[in-house]
Amino acid sequence: MRNSILLLPAHSISMPQAMGAIVLSCGLTVFLSWALGLGSSIWIFASVLRMKANTSVAVSLLAIGLLIINRRMPPNRHRNALLACLMCLFLGAASLAQYFFKFDLGIDQIVSLDKSSTVFPGRMSPVTAVAVTMLALAQILACAPQRHRVLASQFLCIAVMVISTVTLFAYLYNASSLLYVAHYVPMAFSTACAIQLLALGSLALHSDTGLMAPLSSKTMTARMGRRVLISVWIALPALAWVRSQGQARNLFGPEFGVALLVTVGLAMMSALIMWHTSTAEKGERRAQYLNRIYSVLSEVNALIVRVVDRTQLFNEASLIAVQRGGFPRAWFGLVNIEKNVVELVARQDSVHLHKTPAELAERLSLEQGSAGFSPIARAVRSGYPVISNDVVNDKEDPFSHELLADGIFSYAIFPLSLGGKIVGIFKLHAEVPNFFHADEIRLLSDMAGDITFAINNLEQRRLLDHLAYFDSLTGLANARLFEERLYQAIDTATRHRSELAVIVFDVIAFRLINEVHGRQAGDQTLQVLAQRLAACCGDTGSGRLGSNLFAVFFAGVATEARIVSEYERIMTCCFGEAFLLMGNRFALTARSGIAILHNDGDNAKTLLNNAEAALRSAHASGHLYRFYNPASNDRNVARLGLQVLLTQALAESEFALHYQIKVDCQTMLPCGAEALLRWHSAELGQVPPSTFVPILEEIGLIGKVGAWALQQASLDSTHAIMPASPGFRIAVNVSASQLLETDFVEKVQAAFGEFAHMAEIDLELTESLVMSDIEASIDKLRRLRAIGLKIAIDDFGTGYSSMAYLAKLPLDYLKIDRAFVMGLPNDTESLTVISSIISLGHALGLRVIAEGIEHASQAALLVSLGCDELQGYYFGRPEPLPALLSRLENRIPAMVSAVIPASADTGHGGTS
């Protein structure tokens, strides 16, 4: 229920509560006067009839019911109110029954003997009984919230108000014919007042529903109606009392009394109209103020949607406040923590009274001055709006005289908070006092919140844009922005017919810094390098393309000599001074690739690609810098094509195994073979192993191809070779990436499958590979031997084997590298090394194999030195499985093979 009928604030008592309390106190007072036998002299209105005792009981019960119903409890909690109303209904109905049926129920003199009237002494008048009965019914209906019951209750209350109003007019104008209807005792004056108040309170129980809804609205018409009604309800009994008292004391006659009533009534109506007009004018002015605020809020919200940066937001928002909101001045300021001031970033003034920053320094300072903190400082420090609606009498503002001189009579300062931190202020000035009330402050606070939201969004957008175009670690342009800037520089150079060069460089051995000192040290190194590069070439001509890959471009260089000179200057700026990190000094350098506009490309992307190709060429050759070479790029293109074809080769079964036999030095018969990988491409034909094996390792396919080779060798050995030649062993090479895998043994077992213990398979590993992680190698080799495999050290003598570790390795063969065999029989140093290796192998219980045999003299010498097995072109080329099976079936003697010239394809470089 609303409290608007009496214009009471939300926290005060409601109208039904007020009316119920007044009537209850009056009713109890009358009841006590009857019960205690007090005289009528104490009554204010002694000249009119006095309220009966049972009437006082009835109105008291009605007042109690009104108070209970107004407590806003559910209808099922109104039992007490219903009980009081039913008792009152009984009193009223019983009194009416006594009049109509002319008998006495004995309820008139319950409290005390009433001798004030000779006609039915002590009994309430018929009009009072009717009013009491109707009010009791109205309150019973008001207990339920249904609309039709509320309407019925309000109709009854209005009828009772009409009855009580007529009675009061009768007393006011001494209309005895209205008082003594049917010669009955009339309603007492006090009773009429109490009934009037009870009817008014009951009518207001549901002020927002039914007949009371229009009167309780917030429109100016409803407010005027409420004021008129309240004035009439107050003035009617008051004037009646004044007129009656004046005539009773012979102060004036009836004619003067009527004139007095008319004069006072007109004066009251005039005052009421003037009050309403003044209030309406204030309301219209307040509505205009609110409309101005709403207009500013709407325009600022539309601005927030389309604004792209913070400066635009502040400038246009302050302009909207002045032009659309009609404010004479609007400020936006940002907090400068270092200087402890608020710096104005946008301000608009309708009268163009822009003061210099020096003149506003004290107002914008956040420090305490001689007169205390400024209003802006108080807003920033407290985080709450600072409002001054009366600059004239504002003692807390030390700059009020300056504001008054500018025509400012009120202002509001709203802090802008971002992430719980005050980042700025928004200040509005008004040309009239008392401009900023609760509604305006609420709307402007919402607008400050919207502006803060927009600031946050713009900051997030700025950060995202920065991350999209700049490297987050070094602050240099990233690859995207650098390429865009290079496009612009190429366009400028083309129009001016000047030269332009691009240098792409990376730091040599930068990975070691991360591995030894940690990634944080590496990041600090890159940051220092970026600072030096930006200082040397500028922010717009440099960028970071990758982890430790940087790029610069510069124009106005016509010859390679000038480009080299500029390159040396840049390298000196970046790497001439050592890097000091974590107390250590690091001397770093870089390799670079250089591409020249028009010679090596006409657009940014081509130049960058060619500069990177030149960088790769520098790494391959060991030079510090290389210019782009198209021939080198062609080789890279071909290499890239091989990568694509190799990824398809395994799926399309283009790989095959060829076998090169090994012979036993005692029988000179084949005793085993080495499996060598061959690739016959559908597009390129037969591709040499020295060409495609490094690429397999580079692109990470060597593991899958190696697993396939192990599986294929196992199948060939089990199904084809072993039935034809039992004990004939197949050796398969293992690459570095395979052995270094933690699950290498499990992958070997998976490749062999069910033939792991049946196949006659040897694994060949290089000496340096085994010694790179000796402990892990020993464990893996033992597990491999446990499943029936034998282990050979390939290319022995070229590494750095430790004799102590070599004795611990679970080996079966030592394979002498071909580099020692090629010099036989004339190279005495090779002869000494080979003799030592054979002796060492036999001492360790290992069989010794020599590879690369191409002449009979070499074979004879190795046999004489005690070598166990021989392998090379002298005994046979690598051949497919059917040819190998044919050789084994025919048992072709080894010594009948023709001698192969040393310049022929060795076939080495195959891998599993």
Side-chain angles (χ1 to χ4, degrees):
M1 291 175 288
R2 298 179 184 174
N3 299 321
S4 56
I5 292 183
L6 280 179
L7 301 179
L8 297 173
H11 61 272
S12 61
I13 62 174
S14 63
M15 182 174 180
Q17 287 177 315
M19 299 305 173
I22 293 173
V23 174
L24 180 60
S25 60
C26 293
L28 291 177
T29 301
V30 173
F31 177 77
L32 291 175
S33 69
W34 280 108
L36 299 177
L38 300 177
S40 62
S41 59
I42 66 170
W43 292 98
I44 298 175
F45 208 101
S47 60
V48 297
L49 295 178
R50 183 180 182 184
M51 184 186 296
K52 304 293 185 179
N54 52 1
T55 302
S56 68
V57 173
V59 298
S60 297
L61 291 173
L62 287 174
I64 293 173
L66 181 63
L67 292 173
I68 295 175
I69 296 172
N70 188 65
R71 292 183 64 185
R72 303 181 183 179
M73 294 186 299
N76 58 357
R77 301 284 300 277
H78 288 158
R79 291 189 298 272
N80 296 331
L82 290 174
L83 180 61
C85 294
L86 289 174
M87 293 174 61
C88 182
L89 182 63
F90 168 75
L91 287 176
S95 298
L96 285 176
Q98 290 181 117
Y99 281 113
F100 289 147
F101 298 107
K102 298 182 180 179
F103 62 84
D104 189 357
L105 296 177
I107 63 172
D108 300 334
Q109 308 292 334
I110 294 177
V111 179
S112 63
L113 182 63
D114 181 9
K115 299 181 180 181
S116 62
S117 176
T118 57
V119 181
F120 307 117
R123 181 183 301 175
M124 68 174 67
S125 67
V127 178
T128 303
V130 171
V132 167
T133 303
M134 294 173 69
L135 278 178
L137 289 173
Q139 289 190 5
I140 292 173
L141 292 172
C143 289
Q146 287 83 0
R147 179 177 172 79
H148 63 281
R149 295 191 179 185
V150 172
L151 286 173
S153 172
Q154 291 176 346
F155 273 117
L156 290 173
C157 291
I158 291 174
V160 172
M161 289 182 66
V162 171
I163 294 173
S164 60
T165 302
V166 170
T167 301
L168 290 175
F169 269 108
Y171 279 112
L172 184 60
Y173 294 103
N174 199 19
S176 56
S177 59
L178 293 176
L179 293 172
Y180 293 90
V181 179
H183 303 288
Y184 288 117
V185 176
M187 181 187 296
F189 177 78
S190 55
T191 302
C193 292
I195 293 297
Q196 183 87 327
L197 293 175
L198 284 172
L200 184 60
S202 300
L203 193 63
L205 284 174
H206 296 281
S207 60
D208 55 353
T209 309
L211 302 176
M212 290 296 294
L215 195 61
S216 63
S217 68
K218 294 184 178 181
T219 63
M220 295 304 299
T221 303
R223 291 180 181 177
M224 181 62 180
R226 291 195 296 269
R227 290 164 184 164
V228 171
L229 288 177
I230 293 173
S231 300
V232 170
W233 292 331
I234 295 175
L236 188 60
L239 292 175
W241 181 81
V242 170
R243 178 181 177 278
S244 177
Q245 289 295 310
Q247 291 181 358
R249 299 181 183 183
N250 296 321
L251 297 177
F252 47 79
E255 296 79 6
F256 182 80
V258 173
L260 178 63
L261 289 176
V262 173
T263 303
V264 173
L266 289 175
M268 289 184 61
M269 289 302 297
S270 300
L272 188 62
I273 291 172
M274 293 174 64
W275 179 33
H276 175 73
T277 303
S278 175
T279 305
E281 191 272 337
K282 290 181 181 179
E284 291 177 1
R285 192 183 309 118
R286 296 279 296 113
Q288 292 176 359
Y289 293 164
L290 285 175
N291 287 336
R292 287 165 57 179
I293 301 297
Y294 275 118
S295 177
V296 172
L297 183 60
S298 175
E299 293 282 346
V300 169
N301 286 336
L303 169 65
I304 289 173
V305 175
R306 60 180 173 81
V307 74
V308 294
D309 61 73
R310 193 163 61 179
T311 302
Q312 179 188 6
L313 171 67
F314 292 151
N315 285 330
E316 295 196 22
S318 58
L319 187 63
I320 289 170
V322 172
Q323 293 183 349
R324 300 287 294 176
F327 293 97
R329 182 180 297 167
W331 286 357
F332 277 97
L334 294 178
V335 176
N336 188 324
I337 299 178
E338 296 180 357
K339 297 181 179 179
N340 204 25
V341 297
V342 170
E343 296 178 345
L344 290 184
V345 293
R347 54 176 174 167
Q348 294 291 332
D349 199 321
S350 61
V351 293
H352 306 291
L353 295 174
H354 291 302
K355 295 188 177 182
T356 63
E359 294 174 315
L360 299 174
E362 293 186 25
R363 298 196 209 179
L364 301 176
S365 175
L366 298 180
E367 298 178 353
Q368 186 174 9
S370 58
F373 290 107
S374 67
I376 290 179
R378 283 188 278 127
V380 172
R381 289 178 173 273
S382 67
Y384 293 99
V386 172
I387 312 297
S388 177
N389 273 320
D390 188 4
V391 174
V392 175
N393 299 312
D394 190 350
K395 304 301 182 183
E396 296 184 358
D397 189 350
F399 310 105
S400 57
H401 60 284
E402 298 179 17
L403 294 173
L404 293 174
D406 295 340
I408 305 300
F409 290 88
S410 59
Y411 61 82
I413 305 172
F414 298 90
L416 304 177
S417 175
L418 189 62
K421 181 181 178 181
I422 305 300
V423 297
I425 58 98
F426 168 46
K427 185 177 182 182
L428 283 177
H429 304 75
E431 72 283 5
V432 294
N434 298 313
F435 182 92
F436 301 98
H437 294 274
D439 291 336
E440 286 83 356
I441 294 173
R442 177 180 56 82
L443 291 175
L444 290 173
S445 296
D446 291 343
M447 188 176 76
D450 293 341
I451 292 174
T452 302
F453 176 77
I455 294 173
N456 183 55
N457 280 351
L458 291 173
E459 183 66 18
Q460 295 295 326
R461 187 187 305 175
R462 186 190 66 81
L463 290 176
L464 290 176
D465 290 342
H466 187 272
L467 292 176
Y469 290 98
F470 292 90
D471 178 56
S472 59
L473 177 65
T474 63
L476 294 177
N478 60 14
R480 176 183 177 185
L481 179 58
F482 182 82
E483 186 173 328
E484 291 182 4
R485 289 176 173 175
L486 182 56
Y487 266 112
Q488 297 172 2
I490 290 173
D491 181 65
T492 302
T494 302
R495 284 188 285 105
H496 291 84
R497 297 182 179 180
S498 63
E499 298 296 330
L500 181 142
V502 177
I503 298 178
V504 175
F505 66 90
D506 61 4
V507 181
I508 298 176
F510 177 76
R511 177 175 56 86
L512 294 177
I513 296 178
N514 285 334
E515 293 178 354
V516 176
H517 299 284
R519 186 173 297 276
Q520 184 178 3
D523 290 345
Q524 292 177 1
T525 302
L526 293 177
Q527 289 171 343
V528 173
L529 176 58
Q531 293 172 2
R532 295 179 182 180
L533 183 61
C536 179
C537 304
D539 293 334
T540 59
S542 57
R544 183 187 181 199
L545 306 184
S547 174
N548 65 323
L549 186 66
F550 294 84
V552 294
F553 64 82
F554 45 87
V557 285
T559 64
E560 287 191 2
R562 292 192 60 186
I563 294 175
V564 171
S565 176
E566 183 66 17
Y567 156 77
E568 292 175 346
R569 185 188 70 83
I570 294 173
M571 292 299 106
T572 301
C573 289
C574 294
F575 301 101
E577 184 180 349
F579 292 80
L580 181 62
L581 295 170
M582 303 176 66
N584 299 315
R585 298 178 67 85
F586 299 92
L588 299 176
T589 186
R591 297 194 195 277
S592 306
I594 306 173
I596 304 174
L597 180 63
H598 304 311
N599 293 345
D600 304 325
D602 295 324
N603 58 69
K605 190 174 293 295
T606 303
L607 277 178
L608 284 173
N609 290 338
N610 291 340
E612 291 187 36
L615 174 61
R616 288 191 294 271
S617 177
H619 276 288
S621 63
H623 292 84
L624 290 181
Y625 71 90
R626 291 296 291 268
F627 284 90
Y628 172 69
N629 185 353
S632 174
N633 191 57
D634 292 341
R635 289 193 295 271
N636 291 333
V637 171
R639 187 179 181 87
L640 182 61
L642 282 178
Q643 292 182 7
V644 175
L645 293 176
L646 282 171
T647 57
Q648 303 171 357
L650 184 61
E652 297 177 0
S653 302
E654 293 181 355
F655 290 112
L657 290 181
H658 284 199
Y659 297 93
Q660 186 178 32
I661 64 167
K662 295 182 286 186
V663 298
D664 187 281
C665 290
Q666 300 296 325
T667 64
M668 299 307 292
L669 293 175
C671 63
E674 180 180 0
L676 300 172
L677 184 67
R678 295 294 183 264
W679 175 35
H680 185 81
S681 171
E683 295 185 16
L684 305 176
Q686 196 70 30
V687 181
S690 58
T691 300
F692 71 82
V693 170
I695 299 177
L696 284 176
E697 294 178 344
E698 181 180 330
I699 63 178
L701 275 179
I702 192 66
K704 292 183 178 180
V705 175
W708 172 85
L710 285 171
Q711 184 179 21
Q712 187 63 41
S714 175
L715 291 174
D716 290 348
S717 173
T718 305
H719 293 142
I721 299 175
M722 288 178 60
S725 181
F728 192 89
R729 303 191 67 84
I730 301 298
V732 182
N733 289 285
V734 174
S735 69
S737 60
Q738 287 178 281
L739 183 62
L740 294 177
E741 293 175 347
T742 56
D743 57 346
F744 170 65
V745 178
E746 288 75 12
K747 288 184 177 180
V748 171
Q749 288 179 307
F752 288 155
E754 58 181 326
F755 308 111
H757 295 280
M758 299 171 57
E760 300 283 351
I761 299 295
D762 301 334
L763 297 183
E764 291 189 0
L765 304 93
T766 62
E767 180 184 1
S768 58
L769 174 60
V770 173
M771 299 303 294
S772 63
D773 189 353
I774 187 66
E775 298 296 338
S777 297
I778 291 174
D779 178 66
K780 291 177 182 177
L781 295 181
R782 285 175 178 171
R783 292 167 60 192
L784 289 171
R785 292 189 71 189
I787 62 176
L789 302 178
K790 291 186 177 182
I791 309 300
I793 292 293
D794 196 8
D795 300 333
F796 187 78
T798 60
Y800 48 89
S801 297
S802 167
M803 296 300 295
Y805 280 114
L806 188 62
K808 294 181 180 180
L809 288 172
L811 302 176
D812 299 282
Y813 304 97
L814 287 182
K815 199 169 185 179
I816 302 173
D817 187 74
R818 68 174 54 246
F820 300 110
V821 176
M822 290 174 61
L824 297 179
N826 302 320
D827 190 346
T828 57
E829 292 182 358
S830 297
L831 181 62
T832 302
V833 171
I834 291 174
S835 178
S836 300
I837 293 175
I838 293 173
S839 299
L840 173 64
H842 289 165
L844 295 175
L846 307 177
R847 288 179 65 83
V848 179
I849 304 171
E851 64 176 342
I853 312 301
E854 297 181 355
H855 303 284
S857 58
Q858 294 173 337
L861 180 59
L862 289 168
V863 170
S864 66
L865 291 175
C867 191
D868 299 299
E869 297 178 16
L870 302 177
Q871 177 185 347
Y873 277 176
Y874 179 72
F875 303 105
R877 287 173 172 273
E879 54 194 0
L881 180 63
L884 175 64
L885 293 176
S886 177
R887 178 187 293 273
L888 294 178
E889 182 180 356
N890 298 325
R891 300 182 65 82
I892 301 174
M895 292 304 183
V896 301
S897 298
V899 177
I900 306 300
S903 59
D905 180 17
T906 63
H908 189 66
T911 183
S912 62

